[in-house]
């Protein structure tokens, strides 16, 4: 059986030149944390809300060797708000994760499960022209499997 049997969540692609501020607003409006990034040729990768949040927090806390907490800094609301405003000048292309593979519409369920174990996020489903037809989450896939098992 393939993922073609599973209803997909519709997905709105964003372009590489879309501002991170516009993407943040779109994510809030549509209540999603991940969006596929596409160009004229189709799927390029995924942008997630964590990419946006990491652009808002101070640079000293970013990266593998950054600060582990910022309690000592106190209330930096004004700094955070100024960083949110700066998102308008940053583009999706600067943060898009191009390593997240899409799922083909005829992808076997086992292959999809394997990819979900490697990528902790919803995955784009593409047609033969690499156009995004929707997003599949591991929650949706698990729900489908539970339903098939009569649970």
């Amino acid at each position: 059986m393939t993922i073609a049997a599973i209803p997909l969540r519709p997905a709105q692609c964003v372009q590489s030149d879309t501002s991170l501020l516009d993407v943040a607003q779109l994510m809030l409006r549509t209540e999603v944390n991940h969006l596929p990034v596409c160009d004229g040729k189709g799927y390029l990768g995924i942008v997630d809300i964590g990419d946006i949040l990491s652009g808002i927090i101070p640079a000293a806390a970013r990266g593998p060797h950054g600060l582990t907490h910022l309690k000592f800094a106190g209330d930096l609301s004004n700094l955070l708000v100024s960083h949110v405003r700066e998102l308008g000048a940053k583009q999706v292309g600067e943060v898009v994760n191009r390593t997240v593979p899409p799922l083909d519409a005829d992808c076997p369920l086992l292959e999809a499960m394997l990819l979900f174990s490697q990528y902790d996020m919803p995955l784009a489903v593409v047609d033969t022209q690499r156009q995004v037809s929707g997003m599949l989450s591991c929650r949706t896939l698990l729900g489908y499997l539970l339903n098939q098992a009569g649970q």
Side-chain angles (χ1 to χ4, degrees):
M1 187 171 300
T2 69
I3 63 169
I6 303 172
L8 299 177
R9 180 177 183 141
Q12 183 172 348
C13 285
V14 294
Q15 303 290 316
S16 291
D17 61 354
T18 305
S19 78
L20 289 179
L21 183 59
D22 288 342
V23 169
Q25 292 168 335
L26 177 61
M27 286 179 172
L28 291 173
R29 197 170 48 251
T30 58
E31 298 181 347
V32 299
N33 293 333
H34 303 84
L35 288 169
V37 180
C38 304
D39 65 6
K41 297 178 183 175
Y43 175 83
L44 293 175
I46 298 281
V47 61
D48 72 56
I49 202 162
D51 298 325
I52 295 169
L53 292 176
S54 69
I56 296 172
I57 62 171
R62 293 184 215 152
H65 303 292
L67 299 172
T68 58
H69 68 84
L70 295 171
K71 293 177 187 174
F72 66 89
D75 181 16
L76 294 176
S77 301
N78 291 336
L79 176 68
L80 296 176
V81 169
S82 72
H83 285 193
V84 166
R85 289 186 184 114
E86 292 169 5
L87 291 176
K90 297 178 183 173
Q91 296 183 339
V92 170
E94 298 173 44
V95 299
V96 62
N97 185 340
R98 295 175 188 268
T99 64
V100 179
L103 299 170
D104 296 324
D106 62 351
C107 178
L109 295 180
L110 183 58
E111 177 72 12
M113 292 293 289
L114 175 63
L115 286 172
F116 279 126
S117 73
Q118 297 169 350
Y119 299 94
D120 188 25
M121 64 181 64
L123 299 173
V125 178
V126 298
D127 62 20
T128 56
Q129 282 78 44
R130 292 188 56 85
Q131 301 302 309
V132 175
S133 56
M135 296 288 285
L136 180 63
S137 69
C138 53
R139 178 175 288 139
T140 299
L141 179 55
L142 181 58
Y144 176 80
L145 292 171
L146 286 172
N147 188 10
Q148 293 298 305
Q151 303 299 313

